[in-house]
Amino acid sequence: MPTDKPVVVYGASGYTGRLICEYLREYGIPFLAAGRDLKRVQEAVAAVPGIDTVEHEVAEVEHSAAALAEAFRGARVVLNTVGPFARWGHEVVQACLEIGAHYTDTNGEQNWMIDADERYGADFASRDLVITPGLAQMYTIGEIAANICLETPGLDTLDIEVFWKGYPTVASTNTILTNAAFAKAYYLEQNTYVEWPPDGGLYDVVVPGQHELGLALPWGGTSHPLWFKKDPRVANVRALGGVFNRPLMQAVPQIVAGALQQMEGKSLEEKYRIIDEQSAAVRSEMPPRENPRINTSLDSVHASGPLGRAHCVIHGNCNYKQTALLNAHAAAHLLQDRPRRAGFASGCQAFGYRELLGTLRAFGLVLEPVLEVHQ
């Protein structure tokens, strides 16, 4: 049955999906909460504080392009949290094109974004719709910081890092293992994709605001090389990410190596089964709600050029809440105005980096950026 709700949250039974529902409630935006398991979606939405103050529906839907299009028809925006997206995203994007809806997701899969751009970007643009994959704290906050640095002319190189204190979810663990098993990770060098060494291991990095060095990984390459490849100001982009918990970071390569060893010589179906089992073993239940006194985030961008440098740091808290709010902001924007850029576009390109920063500040999720410029 078609819906009369303007926004769909697909994957509403998950941690991020539930948080998106919370922020849509705060915006007063009616929504359809959908997923593949009706009971789980109902339980997640019922846990949203004040849910009775906003119009909403709950629906179970089969994961096929036809079924999704039928269930979402009538909506203008679909916020997708069902990953890994290279595995599950195509049907949702195809459904959006079928019904004429804008699309965002929370992915961290460079291969999915490259594929989505090539396969769907032009079709979305021709209909004045936006497809914005990777609208999430781990990518968009760093993109905001990078754009603030690039307000200084003459800078063409971005060195980006993101750190956070948080709990791994089933989806995030599944994405890490899926990236490792099926995708390469790239950085940008002179506007050309260059593969990160697959056996590069952990990288020691300087984390602003603390004396201890941090440990980071390319984390699938992140979305930054992809977004800035189309920016005429930028030629080089490297991005690394990690958690502040050093023992946990030291364990990540071991977890990945163990899973890859189990997958060696297995069929595609068997590989996905192993990934699903390993993800559930890390955390199979809903993570505890974020605590702003504990779950902090940090995004740091060094931008440089032949005769200039800028450094921007954005401190925040509750990275999953940041992700949820970014998607709720996108929905609010798209219900009132066209995107700043149609087709395949990043969050900053589609909705404005200063506007996104203002929303995050208004909801108390990030500090004012710390910016140093030398020319």
Side-chain angles (χ1 to χ4, degrees):
M1 291 287 293
T3 180
D4 63 350
K5 302 298 183 287
V7 175
V8 173
V9 182
Y10 185 48
S13 61
Y15 189 64
T16 304
R18 184 182 69 184
L19 287 172
I20 292 174
C21 294
E22 291 191 21
Y23 281 112
L24 290 174
R25 186 204 73 84
E26 296 198 20
Y27 273 96
I29 297 174
F31 63 89
L32 170 67
R36 292 167 289 183
D37 185 319
L38 181 62
K39 183 173 183 294
R40 289 184 59 203
V41 177
Q42 288 173 330
E43 290 173 350
V45 174
V48 173
I51 190 60
D52 58 336
T53 63
V54 65
E55 292 181 37
H56 67 282
E57 293 177 352
V58 175
E60 181 178 86
V61 59
E62 172 193 316
H63 189 84
S64 68
L68 293 168
E70 179 62 23
F72 299 168
R73 194 176 304 278
R76 296 167 57 192
V77 183
V78 174
L79 311 175
N80 183 21
T81 69
V82 178
F85 296 83
R87 184 177 175 185
W88 303 110
H90 291 284
E91 294 85 352
V92 190
V93 172
Q94 290 161 8
C96 286
L97 280 173
E98 168 68 22
I99 66 174
H102 301 285
Y103 172 93
T104 76
D105 71 36
T106 57
N107 91 91
E109 303 159 53
Q110 208 177 64
N111 63 321
W112 159 245
M113 288 186 281
I114 293 171
D115 196 22
D117 185 12
E118 292 175 350
R119 293 180 59 171
Y120 307 116
D123 287 338
F124 271 80
S126 69
R127 304 185 63 179
D128 202 29
L129 299 172
V130 71
I131 173 171
T132 301
L135 188 58
Q137 182 274 329
M138 191 173 176
Y139 317 101
T140 305
I141 312 304
E143 188 191 3
I144 292 170
N147 275 287
I148 291 173
C149 288
L150 291 170
E151 290 174 354
T152 300
L155 309 181
D156 65 0
T157 297
L158 300 175
D159 177 0
I160 301 171
E161 74 174 30
V162 54
F163 271 79
W164 65 97
K165 291 180 184 176
Y167 301 92
T169 63
V170 172
S172 61
T173 305
N174 200 300
T175 295
I176 292 169
L177 296 178
T178 300
N179 281 341
F182 302 113
K184 296 178 180 180
Y186 299 99
Y187 60 91
L188 198 64
E189 187 171 295
Q190 292 304 312
N191 212 39
T192 300
Y193 291 132
V194 178
E195 185 182 354
W196 283 96
D199 56 352
L202 293 164
Y203 292 78
D204 291 305
V205 296
V206 176
V207 181
Q210 69 178 44
H211 294 108
E212 184 181 8
L213 292 176
L215 295 175
L217 290 165
W219 224 269
T222 79
S223 64
H224 301 102
L226 183 62
W227 298 139
F228 288 104
K229 193 175 191 297
K230 296 184 177 183
D231 190 318
R233 300 170 295 179
V234 178
N236 310 294
V237 180
R238 285 180 176 235
L240 293 167
V243 296
F244 287 107
N245 186 324
R246 194 176 182 89
L248 178 56
M249 278 304 298
Q250 290 170 328
V252 170
Q254 300 172 25
I255 294 170
V256 172
L260 292 178
Q261 187 175 14
Q262 289 186 49
M263 285 186 262
E264 192 171 344
K266 299 291 196 301
S267 67
L268 182 64
E269 183 179 347
E270 290 172 320
K271 287 179 180 179
Y272 277 128
R273 178 185 57 77
I274 292 167
I275 289 171
D276 292 342
E277 289 176 353
Q278 291 287 317
S279 302
V282 172
R283 181 177 292 276
S284 59
E285 74 281 3
M286 184 77 79
R289 190 174 183 80
E290 289 173 299
N291 183 335
R293 296 178 59 248
I294 298 172
N295 303 118
T296 59
S297 66
L298 180 148
D299 289 81
S300 173
V301 177
H302 285 283
S304 60
L307 291 174
R309 301 191 68 86
H311 181 210
C312 183
V313 179
I314 300 179
H315 296 273
N317 62 60
C318 301
N319 52 303
Y320 286 101
K321 286 186 178 180
Q322 291 178 47
T323 296
L325 178 58
L326 289 166
N327 281 271
H329 173 103
H333 178 117
L334 292 169
L335 293 180
Q336 300 174 74
D337 197 2
R338 66 179 305 278
R340 292 188 171 199
R341 180 183 296 183
F344 186 80
S346 72
C348 292
Q349 291 163 349
F351 310 112
Y353 65 95
R354 286 288 180 181
E355 287 72 14
L356 293 175
L357 175 62
T359 293
L360 292 163
R361 297 271 293 132
F363 280 80
L365 292 175
V366 300
L367 288 171
E368 182 70 20
V370 180
L371 177 66
E372 297 179 57
V373 178
H374 301 277
Q375 288 182 291

